[in-house]
Amino acid sequence: MLPWSAELAGRLEEHVVSSELLRGNPLDDPHERPVLVYVPPGYDDDPERRYPSVYAIQGFTGHIEMWRNRMPYRQPFPETADAVFASGEAPPAIVVFVDAWTAHGGSQFVDSPGTGRYHSYICDEVVPWVDARYRTLDAPEHRAISGKSSGGYGAMITPMLRPDLFGAFATHAGDALFEYSYMPEFPKCVRHLRKYDGDIWRWWDDFNGRASFTRPEDMDLLNVLAMALCYSAREDGTPELPFDPVTGAIRQDVWDRWLAWDPVRMVPGHAEAMRSQRAIWIDGGTRDEWFLDVGAQAFRQALLDAGVQEDVIHFELFEAGHGGIDYRYPLALAWLCRAIAPRRRVISP
């Protein structure tokens, strides 16, 4: 395996989308965002052919250039995705890599007064932008979304909120069952904040004045601050923590705002949207440090309780932790593409 980039059978095209929805966002993050669009082998050969599309979104702290990161003995996802199509393992599709990074590490792909309108950015700007420039099949049954961790979370909730756009999704270790995935981090954060007198903004100022992630508290505090910006920001954009930063006592009204965004709890209110999905891939590692394998089980059961047919769901737990599971992405991609590809008509003799 080459330790550098390999030539693709398809093509990866780089673009910049100027977003009116992200212009003037609360964190003053760029409103011009990079978008990568992969077109499969043979795209140029038949100008009349249209293709299904899969939108790929990243986990917390992920930005678009990280799709090209190369680990020893592993290929980055654009290359493993290309191999899926080059080998004929899946029918051809367009793959769109979307950036939703923020100054605090991520947007959770929701609209929030604390971060900006990232859900609307994807749904109301990126999707129409892609459909206008590429030969996509513009219908939910031919459009999917996929992601890992926070990206898996975005992949779960986006079709719930916009079943008119997305008719299939894959979630790898997606954030779910918040009392297990988020709440155990709260007492850790209380301990971390003792040296900052309970003031998370004192930590933030310190974090920005030195090399990042050089102290043990950095990722825990960054994560809880980012989630508060996404799930429980006031109308003026001020984030509210779901616990008292000095005593650790749960602020139930704020915590309830977080729980309202838990995919497991969201399913009953979006049951019809979930029943409309053509394909749902759910997986997670059995040693996931945030117990997202347990969240995956709970999410699957919530779907079944809501009337989603079992044969629509691919559910799998595998031996792994939270990290290093990128080898799962092309498996889900191939499965999704087979589900959202145009179905052949049988013509009677």
Side-chain angles (χ1 to χ4, degrees), residues 115-133:
T115 55
R117 300 182 63 189
Y118 286 89
H119 168 75
S120 295
Y121 165 64
I122 292 174
C123 294
D124 297 331
E125 290 187 325
V126 177
V127 170
W129 186 93
V130 170
D131 288 341
R133 288 162 178 80

Side-chain angles (χ1 to χ4, degrees), residues 54-60 62 66-69 71 74-82 84-85 89-90 95 97 145-152 169-174 281 283-284 316 318 321-338:
V54 179
Y55 285 71
I57 53 180
Q58 284 184 322
F60 184 59
M66 293 171 68
W67 287 118
R68 306 184 209 252
N69 285 358
M71 295 185 293
R74 284 204 188 166
Q75 294 174 283
F77 182 45
E79 292 181 18
T80 58
D82 179 69
V84 163
F85 299 119
E89 182 181 348
V95 183
F97 299 89
I145 187 167
S146 179
K148 181 247 180 175
S149 193
S150 286
F169 65 91
T171 174
H172 304 283
W281 175 292
D283 71 12
E316 187 177 353
F318 52 93
H322 190 66
I325 63 171
D326 51 293
Y327 65 93
R328 304 288 304 178
Y329 306 170
L331 303 178
L333 176 67
W335 189 80
L336 285 176
C337 289
R338 290 193 289 269

